Amino acid sequence: MLVRWIRRRVMRRLAVIVLATTFTGGTVATIAHHDMVKRSAPVCHYRHTKSGQPLPDQRCTPGALNGAVSQATLASTICRAGYTATVRPPAAITGPEKKASAYAYRYRGSLSEAEFDHLIPLELGGAANNPLNLWLEPPSPGHQPRQGFANPKDMVEAGLNRLVCKAIHLRSHHAGSATSYLPLHIAQQLIVSDWTTALARARTASVTR
């Protein structure tokens, strides 16, 4: 009986490792077990804007990119409907990673009130499962407990995606008229530096064509 129990435990551990290492959406980061990550995780510190919105530690979470996404591949990647669903890692992988990120950032709140978020979002070509691009984002100021997690960063991400994707619609929808779009690499830089001001700064960073 004991031998059988040990064998089952080993097989479960191997299954987690295989699942983590065979996922191919974006850049792959293997995190096989929460306790293993705990022992090697750095201590990360949240930053905050003047309004109190949380920002990640730039040392722990500087951002990372999906090499398949570029200005030349917009139409087949981030500007294609349903793209993010094809690269988003499953909860079986991100669940343990979320706990590890909470430990690294010394987050003490409820995990259900926080989001395991991509700094550079998938819709802007962020790496899907690279620890350099993932952080446990705590609730925004004014958040009420037990009301779930509504992330104002999501609206910023969607707005930047629309500005970037204007580039592929110019010829068919705006032929003969001057229209501006936001270059992909600029959008990525804006959201990494401070997501709360990214949309406002995007207006001056757009390119007219």
Side-chain angles (χ1 to χ4, degrees):
M1 292 292 291
L2 179 60
V3 172
R4 191 176 302 168
W5 180 84
I6 292 173
R7 185 178 298 154
R8 284 199 301 267
R9 295 279 294 181
V10 170
M11 292 305 294
R12 286 196 195 104
R13 179 67 58 82
L14 288 174
V16 172
I17 294 173
V18 169
L19 178 61
T21 54
T22 54
F23 177 70
T24 57
T27 303
V28 177
T30 301
I31 299 180
H33 192 266
H34 176 43
D35 292 336
M36 292 172 61
V37 177
K38 269 190 175 182
R39 288 196 288 270
S40 59
V43 176
C44 306
H45 303 280
Y46 289 114
R47 298 176 295 131
H48 293 87
T49 65
K50 291 181 179 180
S51 62
Q53 291 287 4
L55 299 173
D57 188 318
Q58 293 175 316
R59 177 178 56 89
C60 298
T61 317
L65 300 175
N66 180 347
V69 180
S70 68
Q71 194 71 33
T73 63
L74 293 179
S76 61
T77 56
I78 65 171
C79 298
R80 176 172 58 85
Y83 162 77
T84 59
T86 67
V87 296
R88 190 179 302 278
I93 291 177
T94 59
E97 293 176 357
K98 182 177 183 178
K99 293 177 181 177
S101 183
Y103 180 84
Y105 273 93
R106 301 304 188 259
Y107 176 75
R108 296 291 181 260
S110 169
L111 287 180
S112 64
E113 302 290 327
E115 180 178 356
F116 192 43
D117 195 33
H118 295 92
L119 176 58
I120 303 174
L122 301 181
E123 54 262 60
L124 290 179
N129 196 36
N130 187 321
L132 298 178
N133 196 44
L134 285 160
W135 65 301
L136 189 75
E137 184 178 356
S140 296
H143 173 79
Q144 298 300 315
R146 296 182 295 278
Q147 289 188 352
F149 189 81
N151 191 351
K153 182 171 176 280
D154 292 341
M155 294 185 293
V156 175
E157 296 170 355
L160 291 175
N161 174 268
R162 286 192 295 270
L163 292 174
V164 169
C165 291
K166 277 187 175 182
I168 65 170
H169 299 309
L170 286 180
R171 183 169 298 175
S172 57
H173 295 287
H174 300 285
S177 62
T179 304
S180 61
Y181 71 96
L182 186 64
L184 175 63
H185 73 282
I186 298 296
Q188 294 166 342
Q189 293 169 9
L190 291 175
I191 204 159
V192 165
S193 62
D194 184 349
W195 67 264
T196 66
T197 61
L199 271 180
R201 289 180 291 141
R203 298 189 186 101
T204 60
S206 295
V207 175
T208 300
R209 173 164 101 177

